[in-house]
Structures are given as structure tokens and as C-alpha cells.
Amino acid sequence: ARRLIVGRLDPQAYAFYAWLMVGGFAPNMHIDVLPEQRIIYICVPKNASSRIKMTLSALLGRSLTSEWEANNRKWSGLKSPKQVGLTLFRRIATDQGALRFAFVRNPYARLVSCWINKFRNKPLIPIYPLIDSYLAWRQENDLSLPEGATRTLSFEEFVNFATTTALDRIDGHWHRQADLLNMPGIELNFVGKVESFTKDFMRVLDHVQASDALRADAVKPVNASDDVYWPNYYTTELANRVYKTYELDFERFQYPRKLPSQ
């Protein structure tokens, strides 16, 4: 009902929001809006997103201690486009002085982090949302894949599943990054890299004139998987498959196809 009212009072804001929804970009899942700080953050999962959300939440006076709190709007205080209102959302999305940012990551490393954090050693039963997505896809497409309380998904099996579904918008954790960030009408004016997070995130903190204490806390890692030496998980065959699927990410964000020397 509120959206219909906005559609009459501010048709441009309504059309702007509807454009995102029709395109399947799930703005209320992937976008955090901080109106007072004039910030829009497009969250690409597994790209230091929990660390970023904890820092953005601190700007709102919240003190979070866990990844779960960072990704729960009730605890973090971070608002979606729908929550701040479509008119205000469009205003910040088109404000030349606002900061609209995201972070990207080497696709090889991102998949390893996703598997370790969301799939490794977890029973393949409908308990966790991402495993639910896997089981639903398996039921429709490939019953030969593992399932059950005594089964887990190997990294190779996860890569095969992720590369097969990377363009289907099943889940943002392994969806192609370039596609997630290609939101119509939202022009990013800063894209940082996880590999240089300590330096790049200062651009965000400079925008809000953050204190020294917040700057020191903002670069502390949240997930242990961030410290894993990810090249060890790849064979040449797996790497080739990942590159073929995520080639747009490698090219757009300038990541090398070749694995680091082991």
C-alpha cells in the first residue's frame, strides 16, 4: 500500500525501485542505506561484508560482536531501500556527494571462502538456507549429487554446483559479482578490493571522517576463512571451470587467471 502511495506522489522514485525489483537485483537484501552519512553500500557476500556491516553499524551507534548480528537488520540498525523509503533511497542513489560503494574479491578465493564458511562439514539436510538452496536445485536437476545427514559437499562438488548456477540468481554468495553490482540507476563511485581491504576501506572511513578508534577496529577480520591459502584447494581443471564461469569478474575487476605459484 505504501508503494502505491509513493507511486502516485513520487512516480520517479517508484519507477526507480521497480526497475531494480523487476531486474531481480533483490535491493532489500543487497543494499544498505545510511541517509545521514549519505552512504549506499551494495553488499556482495563473502567480500568482507560482515566486517563492513559491523563498521557501518558502528556509525549508527551500534556495537556488534558477531557475524550474525551484522547480517540481522534488527541488531545492526542498517536499513534497506524499502525501510528508508523509496524517495529518500532514490535521492541518495543519485546524489553526487553521496558515497556508493562495494567490495570485490578474486573469484577463486571467494568460492573457497564460501565453501568453508557455508558448506564444509555441514550435513546436507534442510537446516541452513544455503544448503536448502542446494538441495532444492539437486532435487530438480541432478539426483546423483550427495544429500543426507551423513553426507557433506566436497569443494569439488561445490564448485561444480556453483559454476552451474552462478548466473541463475539462486544465491548471492556464489553469484557473479559483476552481475550483482550492475544495478540500473546506481552508479558506484568506489569499488574496493578485499585483497587491499586495509587501504581501500579508508576511502569509506574518510567519507564519514571516522575516529582513529573506529579506523583501527574497522580492519579486524571477522571470518577465519579469510586467512586460508586458497590456491591449495584448486586443481587445474577446477580453476579452468571457475575462470570460464566467472570470466567477466576476472576481466572487469582485473584479477589474474593464473593461480599464484605454490
Side-chain angles (χ1 to χ4, degrees):
R2 288 196 298 270
R3 288 199 295 273
L4 290 175
I5 294 173
V6 172
R8 290 194 174 191
L9 299 180
D10 191 346
Q12 286 185 318
Y14 181 81
F16 181 78
Y17 178 79
W19 196 8
L20 292 171
M21 295 297 293
V22 171
F25 289 97
N28 295 304
M29 179 180 297
H30 291 288
I31 296 180
D32 294 315
V33 187
L34 287 76
E36 292 186 9
Q37 291 77 14
R38 297 166 76 193
I39 287 177
I40 283 181
Y41 166 51
I42 298 183
C43 170
V44 180
K46 301 314 301 172
N47 291 0
S49 56
S50 295
R51 174 69 271 168
I52 293 170
K53 286 174 178 286
M54 291 177 78
T55 301
L56 295 179
S57 184
L59 296 176
L60 304 178
R62 305 287 182 103
S63 180
L64 308 183
T65 59
S66 70
E67 179 183 1
W68 180 84
E69 291 175 339
N71 290 282
N72 185 306
R73 294 192 184 279
K74 178 180 178 180
W75 289 94
S76 72
L78 300 174
K79 302 297 184 183
S80 68
K82 184 171 66 174
Q83 289 173 323
V84 300
L86 306 190
T87 296
L88 183 55
F89 168 53
R90 179 177 177 272
R91 185 182 306 157
I92 299 172
T94 57
D95 179 358
Q96 292 185 354
L99 176 65
R100 294 174 291 274
F101 78 98
F103 269 74
V104 296
R105 189 177 194 175
N106 187 309
Y108 293 132
R110 183 169 176 251
L111 287 183
V112 171
S113 180
C114 180
W115 176 72
I116 290 175
N117 189 241
K118 303 298 183 181
F119 287 91
R120 185 176 66 173
N121 298 331
K122 287 184 170 60
L124 298 177
I125 53 178
I127 295 179
Y128 309 103
L130 270 69
I131 292 181
D132 292 348
S133 297
Y134 160 75
L135 292 173
W137 186 89
R138 173 193 177 276
Q139 184 66 30
E140 292 292 328
N141 296 277
D142 191 351
L143 292 175
S144 69
L145 293 172
E147 72 162 341
T150 61
R151 303 292 301 278
T152 60
L153 203 65
S154 71
F155 180 64
E156 180 178 357
E157 290 168 332
F158 168 70
V159 167
N160 291 336
F161 166 62
T163 53
T164 301
T165 61
L167 307 184
D168 297 337
R169 296 193 182 277
I170 288 180
D171 194 282
H173 284 81
W174 61 86
H175 192 67
R176 200 163 59 180
Q177 297 170 84
D179 293 338
L180 287 173
L181 298 182
N182 192 31
M183 294 190 180
I186 301 180
E187 183 178 350
L188 297 175
N189 45 28
F190 179 64
V191 177
K193 288 189 173 184
V194 171
E195 291 78 10
S196 52
F197 183 81
T198 299
K199 174 178 68 71
D200 289 356
F201 196 56
M202 291 302 141
R203 170 69 178 83
V204 178
L205 299 177
D206 288 343
H207 176 78
V208 296
Q209 300 179 334
S211 66
D212 291 341
L214 183 58
R215 289 173 187 271
D217 187 66
V219 296
K220 295 177 181 177
V222 174
N223 290 320
S225 60
D226 292 338
D227 296 326
V228 169
Y229 187 65
W230 53 265
N232 286 341
Y233 289 83
Y234 283 95
T235 62
T236 300
E237 181 182 355
L238 278 183
N240 287 339
R241 179 159 190 173
V242 170
Y243 181 81
K244 182 177 180 181
T245 300
Y246 296 93
E247 184 174 2
L248 182 60
D249 286 350
F250 281 97
E251 292 184 354
R252 177 173 173 182
F253 305 121
Q254 299 182 337
Y255 285 107
R257 173 175 184 169
K258 187 178 179 180
L259 293 173
S261 173
Q262 299 183 22

